Amino acid sequence: MSAIRPLFVVAGIGNGTGTGAASARLFGKLGYRVALISRGAEHLNKLANEINENGGEAAPFPIPDYTPASIRSGFSNIRTHFPASSSPLRVAVFNAGQGIWKPFLDVTDEEVRESLDVNALAAFIFAREVLLEFTKNEFEQPSEGGKGGARKKGTLIFTGATASIRGNTTSSAFAMGKFGIRALSQSLAKEFGQQNIHVCGRFVIDGYVITDRVKGFRNDPAWEANVDARLHPDSIAKTYLNFVEQDSSAWGWEIDCKLAHLVLLRIYAHP
């Protein structure tokens, strides 16, 4: 590994059809080295191979779970594979999530713990590892080929949800964790902005994203065909890039990604 190129890290790619994978593909095309963190090696390897075959440089870092020890181990492996001297970390996206949609009295203690562990604690540990790297960085240089621009050391992004700002009849456990991410990101934005680190705290994904999983449980070809009625992962990734490109004179913190045609969303039973 010779030339200096910026590093993009994303946690949470699911089966490779959602926001995390779309972001990895986009930044890989833009010349970033890409580190993929997620549970399960199969989809990670498939996405890394896809990025590499299309001219990018990506490596998978599978972890068994989103516990603090596993996340820290993942970052240690990333630094072995992508040394900071040639791959300074410039963009990081926390896209992992644990969805639980049940009536309140049906939610178990274990499900609450799982939601908080992934949606809040894991976000905290991920952010800590990222910010430890960012605080060591100098300002991004044009020679790196990244998109952050001058006066910026790095950009940290959290994928949020409607449940980050309002609860609903079956989202009590899920909303607890997502509210936590919003509070965490707001605090980090205020603290680390003073060090020219951009924390784009929360992207509210306010609607259904068209992924294989969502297409499966909705089973609605008309919805799939209507580009104004569903969110596309590639479009969300482009919005993430817009935040990376913001300079320090006008940084954003929070944005709602909404549908062009706002409709009342039907409540579906999530598998």
Side-chain angles (χ1 to χ4, degrees), residues 154-174:
T155 304
L156 171 59
I157 293 171
F158 296 89
T159 299
T162 308
S164 303
I165 53 173
R166 62 178 182 269
N168 210 327
T169 54
T170 59
S171 69
S172 56
F174 183 55

Side-chain angles (χ1 to χ4, degrees), residues 101-131:
W101 293 272
K102 285 185 175 181
F104 176 73
L105 296 179
D106 293 339
V107 178
T108 67
D109 297 352
E110 179 66 15
E111 288 170 331
V112 172
R113 185 193 63 77
E114 290 174 356
S115 177
L116 293 176
D117 280 353
V118 176
N119 295 317
L121 178 58
F124 174 90
I125 300 301
F126 180 86
R128 190 175 193 280
E129 294 299 311
V130 168
L131 290 167

Side-chain angles (χ1 to χ4, degrees), residues 4 12 22 31 70 76 91 98 101-102 120 137 141 147 161 171 222-223:
I4 296 178
S70 293
S76 177
V91 182
Q98 182 72 25
W101 293 272
K102 285 185 175 181
N137 285 348
Q141 299 299 314
K147 300 296 182 179
S171 69
W223 171 80

Side-chain angles (χ1 to χ4, degrees), residues 18 27-28 33 39 48 52 66 74 93 98 107 159 162 165 172 184 200 232:
F27 281 87
R33 294 185 171 114
R39 293 176 284 197
N52 292 331
Y66 285 108
V93 176
Q98 182 72 25
V107 178
T159 299
T162 308
I165 53 173
S172 56
L184 171 67
C200 307
H232 198 287

Side-chain angles (χ1 to χ4, degrees), residues 7 9 75 79 87-92 130 133-134 137 153:
L7 178 64
V9 176
F75 271 91
R79 271 297 158 232
S87 305
L89 177 58
R90 292 301 186 185
V91 182
V130 168
E133 292 290 324
F134 282 173
N137 285 348
K153 295 181 178 180

Side-chain angles (χ1 to χ4, degrees), residues 8-14 19-21 35-39 44 61 63 66 71 75 78 91-97 122-123 126 130 157 159:
F8 171 89
V9 176
V10 58
I13 63 129
T19 301
L36 305 168
I37 302 175
S38 198
R39 293 176 284 197
L44 279 179
F61 299 91
I63 56 177
Y66 285 108
I71 295 172
F75 271 91
I78 288 171
V91 182
V93 176
F94 184 79
N95 186 65
F126 180 86
V130 168
I157 293 171
T159 299

Side-chain angles (χ1 to χ4, degrees), residues 22-247:
S23 300
R25 293 186 185 98
L26 176 60
F27 281 87
K29 289 177 182 177
L30 293 172
Y32 285 75
R33 294 185 171 114
V34 177
L36 305 168
I37 302 175
S38 198
R39 293 176 284 197
E42 179 183 355
H43 296 299
L44 279 179
N45 290 332
K46 182 178 179 181
L47 179 59
N49 290 337
E50 176 191 334
I51 293 171
N52 292 331
E53 289 169 1
N54 284 287
E57 184 177 350
F61 299 91
I63 56 177
D65 48 46
Y66 285 108
T67 60
S70 293
I71 295 172
R72 292 188 179 109
S73 176
F75 271 91
S76 177
N77 292 333
I78 288 171
R79 271 297 158 232
T80 299
H81 189 88
F82 292 118
S85 58
S86 57
S87 305
L89 177 58
R90 292 301 186 185
V91 182
V93 176
F94 184 79
N95 186 65
Q98 182 72 25
I100 298 170
W101 293 272
K102 285 185 175 181
F104 176 73
L105 296 179
D106 293 339
V107 178
T108 67
D109 297 352
E110 179 66 15
E111 288 170 331
V112 172
R113 185 193 63 77
E114 290 174 356
S115 177
L116 293 176
D117 280 353
V118 176
N119 295 317
L121 178 58
F124 174 90
I125 300 301
F126 180 86
R128 190 175 193 280
E129 294 299 311
V130 168
L131 290 167
L132 284 170
E133 292 290 324
F134 282 173
T135 53
K136 298 173 187 176
N137 285 348
E138 301 295 334
F139 291 134
E140 187 170 333
Q141 299 299 314
S143 58
E144 295 176 19
K147 300 296 182 179
R151 309 301 301 171
K152 183 180 283 193
K153 295 181 178 180
T155 304
L156 171 59
I157 293 171
F158 296 89
T159 299
T162 308
S164 303
I165 53 173
R166 62 178 182 269
N168 210 327
T169 54
T170 59
S171 69
S172 56
F174 183 55
M176 289 168 66
K178 287 299 184 181
F179 265 70
I181 286 182
R182 186 174 191 266
L184 171 67
S185 64
Q186 188 174 49
S187 300
L188 297 180
K190 292 180 178 180
E191 179 176 355
F192 288 92
Q194 301 297 319
Q195 300 179 51
N196 288 70
I197 293 169
H198 189 188
V199 180
C200 307
R202 195 186 58 87
F203 285 76
V204 181
I205 310 303
D206 194 9
Y208 283 113
V209 181
I210 186 166
T211 65
D212 285 353
R213 176 176 171 272
V214 173
K215 286 190 288 187
F217 76 73
R218 283 196 64 128
N219 191 25
D220 186 351
W223 171 80
E224 293 178 28
N226 187 350
V227 296
D228 295 322
R230 80 288 195 281
L231 293 155
H232 198 287
D234 292 346
S235 299
I236 298 171
K238 291 176 184 176
T239 304
Y240 288 180
L241 174 61
N242 290 339
F243 266 61
V244 172
E245 293 174 330
Q246 290 177 351
D247 67 63

